[in-house]
Amino acid sequence: MARSFKAALIAGTLLALPGPAGAQTIEELKREIDELRTMVKALQAAQAAGTPHAAEPKTTAAGASVTADGAPVPATSLAASPAVAPVAATPANAPVVLASAPAHKSKAWYERLMIRGYTQMRYNAFLSGDDTAPAGVSRLRSVHDSSISDKGSFSLRRVRLVLQGDVTDRLSIYIQPDFATSINNQSGGEKREGFGQLRDAYADFFLDKDKRFHLRFGQSKVPYGWENLQSSSNRLTLDRSDAVNSAIPGERDLGIVAYYTPGHVQKIWDRLAADGQKLFGNYGAFGLALYNGQGTNRTEQDKHLMKVAMATWPFELDGLGGIFEGQVLEVGGSAILNKYRPEIRAGGVSAIAYDDNHAGAHLILYPKPFGIQAEWNWGKGPQFDTATQTIRAKKLSGGYIQTMYRIKESPIGPIIPYARWQRYRGGWKAATNAPRLETNELELGVEWQIIKPLELTIAYASMKRSEADERRTGRAEGQLIRTQLQFSY
């Protein structure tokens, strides 16, 4: 294109020149051609630089025309050539206007969303114990893992898929189904597995540009208990403790939450996250909430709203020196005021709304490399009374103590050995007739991160539990080897 332009420019100039009778010599023709070549080179250079206006000749203070790079433009060439129109003179100090860069196009809302998830595959094996029992006597079972049974082997504990992202700078969404849900009462009474169920569906609206204060609307985790809020993909132990989880089995409900996190607290959590610590998730240092109060995916049964309050605060221990250098101690508590109607054996839900009030405290010394985690829960909730054969609001208590040692680098990759002891005495409101649980359990395990998206946990568990069925009495005992392979995507 440049060559064609050059040829047309020269041809136009030659056509405009007078013939031999004009008394123009060959030397004059050569000189004008050389001048044209100079002008064409200047135009090509300006075109290559991407500045259209710079390619146009401009006028100096003396009235001489020059190109953008200062090369002189012959007046005779400009006047004579029909291919190049004369340029109007401009003041010497006139600014050179450059072409503006195209405006940055903001992403559409669907381009801001991301998909991720994780799957947990388990295998439980009895070493000894009461995997079976006569009718009316407790077998060794867990309210958290249905594959702990005389028939259990491989199972999918969780198959989660998360869709999340910022719809705008102030609004984000989070949707998480689980595809490892079991359904009872199918044909022949046999349980079916692998059904999809909604776990989370909420939107966060940020009230300030620093995103310290936000409101959460929808089905989300109830801010009660540090371990309850921590994602199962991030938790060290295989299951949550019976005591803390008894307040919110399933951890979720439908409602509104207000979260607030001071800036310096967020900086501490960001530092811990960068170090690879297992935090409790995207929640605030302070939380106030209102929920329906019946639990995950359960229809609300009355007009009573569940009231929840939570506070947690991390303290940097660097000032203590020695073994505390770089460590963080986090302490806090939470409380629930609620009315609950459990499902009953005769069908439907209880006609009575029972008091369902809880208070708990937590403490976490993040492992650097040694760590401690502990929670305790007290309260009153619905519980089946064997003496009267009715459900009553009765006291409950229990919690856990856990220690861990984090080895960030080893010949086989990061590993975290841990030990946890838990105890609980109280009702389990999520089961039919809210049976009483009596739990004592010791779990010794190790988490091994084979590669970043692949983790293997192997644990030995010594359990003593009463089964979550009011028709069975006593406590079963047993020892198990438990394994879980988690792959994230």
Side-chain angles (χ1 to χ4, degrees), residues 92-395:
N93 59 351
V96 178
V97 181
L98 299 179
S100 58
H104 177 70
K105 184 180 179 181
S106 60
K107 290 183 178 180
W109 66 268
Y110 50 83
E111 295 178 313
R112 299 185 178 195
L113 302 180
M114 64 172 289
I115 297 178
R116 60 179 180 84
Y118 66 96
T119 296
Q120 293 174 341
M121 179 179 176
R122 289 189 179 179
Y123 182 82
N124 296 304
F126 271 85
L127 298 176
S128 63
D130 303 319
D131 56 342
T132 61
V137 179
S138 288
R139 304 157 297 180
L140 188 58
R141 300 292 186 265
S142 170
V143 292
H144 301 289
D145 189 347
S146 61
S147 67
I148 296 179
S149 74
D150 57 322
K151 300 176 182 178
S153 53
F154 290 110
S155 67
L156 290 174
R157 179 62 183 88
R158 293 175 179 88
V159 181
R160 302 285 176 88
L161 195 63
V162 177
L163 174 67
Q164 68 177 124
D166 297 327
V167 178
T168 70
D169 293 338
R170 292 291 182 91
L171 184 69
S172 66
I173 64 168
Y174 187 100
I175 300 173
Q176 178 181 225
D178 184 8
F179 298 99
T181 302
S182 299
I183 302 295
N184 291 319
N185 299 323
Q186 300 296 307
S187 60
E190 183 184 354
K191 183 174 68 175
R192 295 290 192 269
E193 299 179 343
F195 282 79
Q197 183 189 68
L198 181 66
R199 302 299 290 175
D200 299 277
Y202 61 80
D204 283 335
F205 178 63
F206 298 93
L207 301 181
D208 62 319
K209 64 180 181 179
D210 295 327
K211 297 187 176 182
R212 297 177 183 176
F213 185 25
H214 68 278
L215 300 177
R216 178 165 293 177
F217 305 91
Q219 181 164 296
S220 67
K221 284 188 176 180
V222 176
Y224 181 86
W226 195 92
E227 185 186 55
N228 275 358
L229 290 174
Q230 189 180 41
S231 170
S232 296
S233 64
N234 209 26
R235 190 180 59 252
L236 188 58
T237 56
L238 292 178
D239 295 314
R240 293 181 171 91
S241 64
D242 291 2
V244 179
N245 200 241
S246 68
I248 306 292
E251 304 89 53
R252 295 162 174 85
D253 210 321
L254 182 61
I256 302 174
V257 198
Y259 287 117
Y260 174 71
T261 305
H264 66 282
V265 171
Q266 189 61 55
K267 288 181 180 179
I268 296 175
W269 286 342
D270 289 344
R271 178 169 68 83
L272 292 171
D275 184 48
Q277 295 286 348
K278 294 179 177 291
L279 303 179
F280 77 141
N282 182 25
Y283 303 93
F286 302 97
L288 291 173
L290 292 173
Y291 291 95
N292 282 341
Q294 280 295 117
T296 308
N297 298 324
R298 294 185 180 227
T299 304
E300 177 62 359
Q301 299 297 328
D302 54 43
K303 296 181 180 180
H304 298 103
L305 291 178
M306 178 170 66
K307 279 77 72 176
V308 186
M310 182 270 292
T312 187
W313 199 266
F315 296 90
E316 295 179 298
L317 304 181
D318 302 75
L320 300 178
I323 61 173
F324 296 102
E325 191 70 30
Q327 285 192 313
V328 173
L329 175 68
E330 186 168 330
V331 296
S334 45
I336 289 176
L337 291 176
N338 190 30
K339 294 283 187 178
Y340 191 86
R341 296 174 184 261
E343 294 180 357
I344 57 177
R345 185 68 58 188
V349 297
S350 169
I352 301 174
Y354 296 94
D355 288 340
D356 182 34
N357 305 324
H358 303 258
H362 62 261
L363 176 151
I364 299 94
L365 178 68
Y366 289 93
K368 290 181 68 66
F370 176 76
I372 298 175
Q373 182 175 319
E375 293 189 72
W376 212 260
N377 172 69
W378 304 266
K380 188 176 184 180
Q383 177 184 317
F384 189 80
D385 180 39
T386 56
T388 63
Q389 292 292 296
T390 60
I391 301 173
R392 300 175 59 189
K394 304 185 75 172
K395 291 183 178 180

